[in-house]
Amino acid sequence: MTIYDARRAAVFRPTLRLRLTLLNGILLVGAGLVLVVLAYILVDGALKPADQLQPGTRVVLENGTEVDAHTWQTELVDSAEWELLTRGSLALLLIGAVGVAGAYIVAGRALRPLQKVTSTAQRLSGESLDARINYDGADDEVSELAKTFDAMLDRITAAFETQKRFVANASHELRTPLAVMRTEVDVTLDDPEADVAEYRRMATVVRDASMRANALVESLLLLARTEAQAGRRLGRKVSTDLATGVAVALSAMGKEIQRLSLDVSTELTPANVVGDPGLLERLAGNLIENAVRYNHLAGRIWVRTGTDETLAWLVVGNTGFEVEPADLPALFEPFRRGGRERTGARGTGLGLSIVRAVCEAHGGGVSAIALKGGGLEVTVSLPAAAVTPVLSGTATVRPAAR
C-alpha cells in the first residue's frame, strides 16, 4: 500500500496556529492603539484651563516663578501628551507581546486535537486501522471533529473488514469449481485407457462446474451493481408490480418444485412500486429460489404480496431446516447460508445479500423470522408507487433505515 506523507518540507508556512496568533495580536494591539489615541484626544481636550482666563494672565508656579497662563498650559499639555505617548506605547508593546505569547500557547492547546488527527491519519494503513483519537477535552467543535473522525474510522474499518471477508469468500467460491474442472481434466488426460464415455463424463462435470462459476460471477456483478445504487440513484425507475416477479420466479422453479413435491400457496394482490424492473424481478427470484433450495421433501412455500397507502410488501415463507434467531442478521451477508458455510451447500450464498441490496437501492427494507419447527419467513417492504415519483434515470432514492 502506498503511504502519502501530507507534511510539507521544513520551510516557513502560514499554519493555522500562527494565523490565529497573529490575528489575536493584531486585534489586541489595534484595540490598545485605539485606547491610546482616545486617551490622547481626551487629554488634549481636557487640559486647557487657561482658555477660560483673560489674555495676559500670569500664574505663579510652586518655585515662585511667574509665567504666562497660556504658555504654562501649552507646556503642561505637551508634557502630558508626551508622557501618554511614550508610556502608552511601552505598555502597548508589553501587552501585545504578552497577548501574542498567550494566544500562541492557547491556540496550540486548542489545535492539539487537530495535530492528533493528522498524526493518526498518517499512521493509518490497510493493516493498522485501529488508531483512534479518543479526545477527552472540552465538549466543543474540536471535540465534535475528533469524535466524527473516530466514527468515520469505525465505518471504514467495518467496510474494510467486510471487503476483505467478501474477497476471501469469493475467491474460495471461485476456486472450488476451477479446482474441480482442473482435477477432472488432469485425471482424464492421465488415464491412457480413457474412452469416449469417460471424456463425456469429464465434459459433463466441467460444464456443471463452469455453470456454477458463471452463476457466481453473475451474482457478484449483480450484487456490486445493486450496492453501488443503494442510497444514490437508480438507473431506471418505472412502475412495477411485485406480484409479476413472483409469478415469473415460480414458473422458472416449476421443475424443482415438482421434484421436491412442494406445496405452494400464493395470495398475490397488486403491489405496485417504482424502481428498476430487472432488480425487483431478481429480488423476487432470489427469495423463491432460496425457499425451494432450502426446503425439504414435501415441504411448503407460501407467498403473499400487498400494499397500503405508503408501503408495498412481499412475504415469502418456507419450511426447512431450523435457523437460530441469532443467525438471522448473518443470512443477509455474502456467502452465508443459514448457519451452514460454503462447503456442501447449493447456490452461491449471495441470494439474500442481493435482496438486501435491492431493498436499500429502492429505499425499502427486509426482515426475516425463524419459524418454529424449521423454515424461514422473509418480508420485503418497499415504498408504494403512490408515494414514489416515476422519473427516468435521475431519480434520487432515500437511504434505507439500517
Side-chain angles (χ1 to χ4, degrees), residues 163-289:
Q163 183 186 48
K164 289 197 298 185
R165 185 169 62 251
F166 180 85
V167 171
N169 291 335
S171 300
H172 181 95
E173 290 285 345
L174 284 172
R175 186 165 57 245
T176 300
L178 293 177
V180 170
M181 287 188 285
R182 181 174 179 176
T183 300
E184 287 293 330
V185 171
D186 290 343
V187 169
T188 304
L189 291 179
D190 291 341
D191 185 2
E193 299 180 357
D195 54 9
V196 175
E198 182 65 19
Y199 276 99
R200 286 183 176 276
R201 186 201 63 79
M202 181 266 291
T204 301
V205 174
V206 170
R207 182 197 60 186
D208 293 341
S210 64
M211 291 175 61
R212 178 183 175 187
N214 184 70
L216 175 62
V217 171
E218 289 181 352
S219 297
L220 288 172
L221 292 175
L222 177 61
L223 178 61
R225 180 169 68 92
T226 307
E227 288 184 336
Q229 297 182 95
R232 300 178 185 175
R233 296 179 182 273
L234 287 169
R236 297 177 62 193
K237 291 197 75 176
V238 298
S239 181
T240 305
D241 188 355
L242 293 178
T244 302
V246 172
V248 173
L250 289 175
S251 176
M253 297 297 293
K255 292 184 178 180
E256 188 70 8
I257 291 174
Q258 291 179 1
R259 186 184 70 83
L260 295 174
S261 300
L262 299 178
D263 178 21
V264 180
S265 60
T266 60
E267 186 179 337
L268 304 180
T269 58
N272 292 320
V273 297
V274 174
D276 189 318
L279 294 180
L280 293 173
E281 183 176 321
R282 188 64 265 165
L283 178 148
N286 283 1
L287 291 177
I288 298 298
E289 290 173 8

Side-chain angles (χ1 to χ4, degrees), residues 92-113:
L92 188 61
L93 291 176
L94 181 60
I95 293 175
V98 173
V100 168
Y104 187 79
I105 296 174
V106 172
R109 292 178 61 87
L111 296 177
R112 188 174 302 167

Side-chain angles (χ1 to χ4, degrees), residues 45-69:
L47 296 180
K48 292 184 179 180
D51 290 347
Q52 302 177 8
L53 302 177
Q54 293 292 332
T57 302
R58 300 178 68 83
V59 296
V60 180
L61 301 180
E62 185 179 3
N63 57 8
T65 305
E66 291 187 3
V67 295
D68 183 74

Side-chain angles (χ1 to χ4, degrees), residues 21-22 37 70 88 114 121 131 139 153-154 161 171 176 182 206 215 217 221 257-258 265 273 291 303 306 320 346 394:
T21 301
L22 291 178
V37 172
H70 289 84
L114 298 183
D139 188 12
L153 290 180
D154 291 338
E161 292 299 323
S171 300
T176 300
R182 181 174 179 176
V206 170
V217 171
L221 292 175
I257 291 174
Q258 291 179 1
S265 60
V273 297
V303 185
R346 296 173 292 175
T394 59

Side-chain angles (χ1 to χ4, degrees), residues 72-397:
W72 169 76
Q73 175 180 278
T74 301
E75 293 176 353
L76 179 63
V77 171
D78 291 342
S79 176
E81 290 177 346
W82 173 254
E83 289 290 333
L84 177 63
L85 290 177
T86 54
R87 296 187 180 184
S89 299
L90 181 61
L92 188 61
L93 291 176
L94 181 60
I95 293 175
V98 173
V100 168
Y104 187 79
I105 296 174
V106 172
R109 292 178 61 87
L111 296 177
R112 188 174 302 167
L114 298 183
Q115 297 173 350
K116 197 170 181 180
V117 170
T118 302
S119 61
T120 301
Q122 290 170 349
R123 293 197 308 269
L124 292 177
S125 67
E127 290 74 27
S128 61
L129 289 174
D130 56 345
R132 296 294 184 272
I133 299 175
N134 295 324
Y135 180 71
D136 56 357
D139 188 12
D140 53 10
E141 291 82 356
V142 176
S143 174
E144 184 178 1
L145 173 62
K147 293 177 181 178
T148 302
F149 188 82
D150 285 346
M152 178 192 68
L153 290 180
D154 291 338
R155 293 192 299 270
I156 292 177
T157 300
F160 199 86
E161 292 299 323
T162 301
Q163 183 186 48
K164 289 197 298 185
R165 185 169 62 251
F166 180 85
V167 171
N169 291 335
S171 300
H172 181 95
E173 290 285 345
L174 284 172
R175 186 165 57 245
T176 300
L178 293 177
V180 170
M181 287 188 285
R182 181 174 179 176
T183 300
E184 287 293 330
V185 171
D186 290 343
V187 169
T188 304
L189 291 179
D190 291 341
D191 185 2
E193 299 180 357
D195 54 9
V196 175
E198 182 65 19
Y199 276 99
R200 286 183 176 276
R201 186 201 63 79
M202 181 266 291
T204 301
V205 174
V206 170
R207 182 197 60 186
D208 293 341
S210 64
M211 291 175 61
R212 178 183 175 187
N214 184 70
L216 175 62
V217 171
E218 289 181 352
S219 297
L220 288 172
L221 292 175
L222 177 61
L223 178 61
R225 180 169 68 92
T226 307
E227 288 184 336
Q229 297 182 95
R232 300 178 185 175
R233 296 179 182 273
L234 287 169
R236 297 177 62 193
K237 291 197 75 176
V238 298
S239 181
T240 305
D241 188 355
L242 293 178
T244 302
V246 172
V248 173
L250 289 175
S251 176
M253 297 297 293
K255 292 184 178 180
E256 188 70 8
I257 291 174
Q258 291 179 1
R259 186 184 70 83
L260 295 174
S261 300
L262 299 178
D263 178 21
V264 180
S265 60
T266 60
E267 186 179 337
L268 304 180
T269 58
N272 292 320
V273 297
V274 174
D276 189 318
L279 294 180
L280 293 173
E281 183 176 321
R282 188 64 265 165
L283 178 148
N286 283 1
L287 291 177
I288 298 298
E289 290 173 8
N290 278 358
V292 174
R293 285 174 178 167
Y294 299 106
N295 217 316
H296 53 67
L297 189 64
R300 294 190 305 111
I301 295 176
W302 57 95
V303 185
R304 300 191 303 272
T305 59
T307 186
D308 56 23
E309 296 180 355
T310 58
L311 290 177
W313 59 82
L314 164 63
V315 179
V316 178
N318 64 277
T319 55
F321 59 87
E322 293 188 5
V323 179
E324 293 293 333
D327 293 336
L328 290 178
L331 292 179
F332 295 92
E333 297 297 328
F335 306 107
R336 298 300 298 269
R337 299 183 177 90
R340 297 186 301 176
E341 295 299 332
R342 296 175 294 270
T343 306
R346 296 173 292 175
T348 63
L350 295 173
L352 291 182
S353 300
I354 294 174
V355 169
R356 182 199 62 188
V358 172
C359 289
E360 292 177 352
H362 289 78
V366 58
S367 61
I369 300 175
L371 303 177
K372 292 182 178 180
L376 200 68
E377 184 175 85
V378 180
T379 301
V380 169
S381 300
L382 301 177
V387 297
T388 309
V390 180
L391 300 175
S392 59
T394 59
T396 304
V397 298

Side-chain angles (χ1 to χ4, degrees), residues 7-23 104 107-108 111 114-115:
R7 295 172 294 183
R8 299 182 180 178
V11 295
F12 176 79
R13 57 193 179 102
T15 61
L16 180 58
R17 183 179 187 182
L18 179 60
R19 282 181 287 164
L20 289 175
T21 301
L22 291 178
L23 177 61
Y104 187 79
L111 296 177
L114 298 183
Q115 297 173 350

